[in-house]
Structure formats: C-alpha cells, structure tokens
Amino acid sequence: MAPKIVYASKTGNVQTVVEQLGLLPEAIKIVDGTEHVDGEFVLFTYTVGKGQIPKPVRAFLESNPGIVAVVGSGSTAKSHIDTFNYAAKRVSETYEVPVIAKLDGAGTSEDLETIRAGLAAL
C-alpha cells in the first residue's frame, strides 16, 4: 500500500505541487499540527525563518511516527539561499528518511517528474 501524502503550505506553493501531482483530495493538510495519520506517509513541507521546520509540521511529526520520505519547498531568493530547503534537510536528518526533491517555490515540470518517480519507488 502506498504511503499517504501529508503537506503543509504557507504561501500556496506546496499545495500547488500536491495539486499538480494529482494527490488531492486524498492528501492531508497540516493546519495546526494536531492532525493524525495512521501508517506511513510522505511529508511535503516549506521552510520558515532561517531554515527552520514550521511549528505545525514539528508538532505533527512528534505525534505521527510513520514518515518515510520528505519533499521540501523553499526559495533561492538571495536572502534565503544559505538556508534553501533546510526544513526538508532537517526532517531528513532527524527522522532518517530520504529527501525526494528540493523545490524552488512550486518547482518545475522536471521536479514533478522527480517526485512522481520518488513516490513510485517507495
């Protein structure tokens, strides 16, 4: 059985990616971190501040142990280049799961293919 898709979107970029991949309406949106998922899941997340995992995502991960991979969205704008996609990197390191893709904003069509392939390989 394929892992569930869980996502957090602040500016809409992550939600756009999930929509473009055809993962809605089954995907579960993290709003405040109290959401619950049974079984394995792939996390799609954004980065906040200076490379931090968003608080709702941290809370969600603390009470949902089934993460198997992460997809990150960030910004390569000059002010964010040093911490580009650090949330995905930190989730990967903390939970020992692979990063399927690191997107700049909503990513490219090539990024979407990379994600599709990564999800299929799970």
Side-chain angles (χ1 to χ4, degrees):
M1 189 161 128
K4 294 174 179 74
I5 303 299
V6 177
Y7 72 99
S9 187
K10 182 177 182 179
T11 63
N13 286 329
V14 175
Q15 184 159 336
T16 297
V17 171
V18 172
E19 287 172 355
Q20 290 177 332
L21 290 168
L23 301 172
L24 292 179
E26 294 82 14
I28 299 161
K29 184 173 184 178
I30 298 172
V31 177
D32 59 12
T34 61
E35 299 80 8
H36 180 73
V37 174
D38 288 322
E40 295 181 337
F41 64 90
V42 175
L43 172 68
F44 287 63
T45 187
Y46 59 97
T47 298
V48 294
K50 294 183 179 180
Q52 301 302 313
I53 299 169
K55 286 181 184 178
V57 173
R58 266 200 325 255
F60 176 84
L61 289 169
E62 288 170 4
S63 61
N64 291 278
I67 187 167
V68 294
V70 62
V71 174
S73 175
S75 173
T76 55
K78 190 174 182 179
S79 61
H80 299 288
I81 195 68
D82 292 340
T83 57
F84 177 66
N85 263 298
Y86 264 40
K89 178 182 176 187
R90 289 171 193 235
V91 167
S92 173
E93 291 171 353
T94 301
Y95 296 92
E96 299 178 348
V97 297
V99 176
I100 292 175
K102 292 181 179 180
L103 311 174
D104 186 9
T108 65
S109 58
E110 291 85 8
D111 291 330
L112 295 177
E113 289 307 313
T114 297
I115 296 168
R116 282 188 185 99
L119 292 175
L122 294 175

